[in-house]
Amino acid sequence: VLLEPIMAVEEVSPDEYTGNVIGDLNKRRGLPKGQEVKGGAVVIKADVPLSELFGYVTDLRTITSGRASASLTFSHYSEVPKNIAEDVITQAKG
């Protein structure tokens, strides 16, 4: 079994960008864990594979016109989806 690190992502963004931010997380194989409103902003929590997060903060700032921030912390390891694991194994074998 091939495992990958999963990061706990917490984003704070204006409400008007919530749909775009969640859509981007879904595109990155993210698993939304919830959202809450705090003082006019939305806090979005999700688990996202580390391999999908390279360049994420730059993309997040582009999506939200620089008005969002994110924090990432290690959460756990999870099994890699079969199609991705097959690609990794094929590349490793040469």
Side-chain angles (χ1 to χ4, degrees), residues 52-90:
E52 302 290 338
L53 289 173
F54 295 108
Y56 177 65
V57 174
T58 302
D59 292 344
L60 177 65
R61 291 192 185 271
T62 300
I63 291 169
T64 63
S65 302
R67 296 179 62 198
S69 63
S71 64
L72 292 73
T73 55
F74 175 77
S75 177
H76 62 280
Y77 286 98
S78 182
E79 187 174 339
V80 176
K82 187 174 180 161
N83 62 328
I84 295 173
E86 289 172 355
D87 289 344
V88 170
I89 292 168
T90 301

Side-chain angles (χ1 to χ4, degrees), residues 1-41:
V1 174
L2 199 59
L3 298 176
E4 65 182 339
I6 304 297
M7 304 299 286
V9 177
E10 183 174 296
E11 305 169 345
V12 180
S13 130
D15 184 45
E16 63 206 65
Y17 300 107
T18 302
N20 292 338
V21 169
I22 291 174
D24 187 60
L25 287 171
N26 288 334
K27 192 170 63 173
R28 296 172 184 273
R29 297 190 294 132
L31 177 63
K33 294 288 191 176
Q35 59 186 12
E36 60 185 78
V37 177
K38 281 190 177 177

